Amino acid sequence: MAFLRLLRFMLKKEKRLLSNRDFRRVYEQGRYVVSRSLVLYYLPTGNESRFGFVVSKKVGGAHIRNRHKRLLREVIRLLLTRFPRGYDFVFVARPKIVGDNFGQISTVVLRLLKKAGLEKNQC
């Protein structure tokens, strides 16, 4: 039952980048902005926006990497209305993300969106 409750709050599958080919395309053809703890790659596609998350072993062990991926997915899910439509986004966590809490990660994501000139105004 707890698993079903968790599914309600996950980023839907159609909103996620899943294939290696999609990630490579965003890296090679897209643009990027950088912060101390995250890198945001983005590429206009014209379709529905999709999101990918990368946390390397440099960040820490599996439990730390998984925790930060979950935090990033939840931040994106809650800020979905702030993202423009028609883009593929890839968030790459840097080792400095360790120790950042939910609020700090949210702030960094919004700052990166603004830096890229992609933030939609909140109504």
Side-chain angles (χ1 to χ4, degrees):
M1 200 59 162
F3 179 71
L4 292 176
R5 276 183 282 172
L6 182 63
L7 278 178
R8 265 191 334 203
F9 299 112
M10 289 178 59
L11 198 57
K12 293 186 183 331
K13 194 170 187 175
E14 59 269 7
K15 291 270 187 202
R16 290 185 284 161
L17 286 175
L18 299 174
S19 74
N20 186 27
R21 183 182 66 208
D22 289 338
F23 277 86
R24 276 198 327 243
R25 188 172 38 82
V26 174
Y27 290 142
E28 293 168 2
Q29 298 173 15
R31 300 187 68 178
Y32 65 93
V33 289
V34 180
S35 78
R36 174 183 73 78
S37 57
L38 279 175
V39 179
L40 169 61
Y41 289 87
Y42 58 97
L43 177 69
T45 60
N47 302 328
E48 195 67 30
S49 288
R50 298 182 302 166
F51 301 87
F53 306 95
V54 177
V55 182
S56 77
K57 289 184 179 180
K58 292 178 185 178
V59 172
H63 66 286
I64 294 172
R65 293 193 312 269
N66 289 334
R67 180 178 189 278
H68 284 87
K69 275 194 258 188
R70 283 193 307 271
L71 278 171
L72 280 167
R73 280 194 299 263
E74 183 63 9
V75 165
I76 299 310
R77 187 186 69 79
L78 293 174
L79 296 175
L80 210 51
T81 59
R82 305 287 288 271
F83 284 86
R85 289 181 151 212
Y87 282 85
D88 282 347
F89 296 97
V90 175
F91 288 90
V92 180
R94 296 173 126 187
K96 294 274 188 184
I97 199 168
V98 175
D100 285 359
N101 62 31
F102 186 85
Q104 292 166 320
I105 293 173
S106 300
T107 303
V108 171
V109 168
L110 288 174
R111 195 173 297 140
L112 286 173
L113 263 180
K114 191 172 189 172
K115 192 174 182 181
L118 298 174
E119 183 182 26
K120 285 173 45 177
N121 291 335
Q122 188 74 1
C123 295

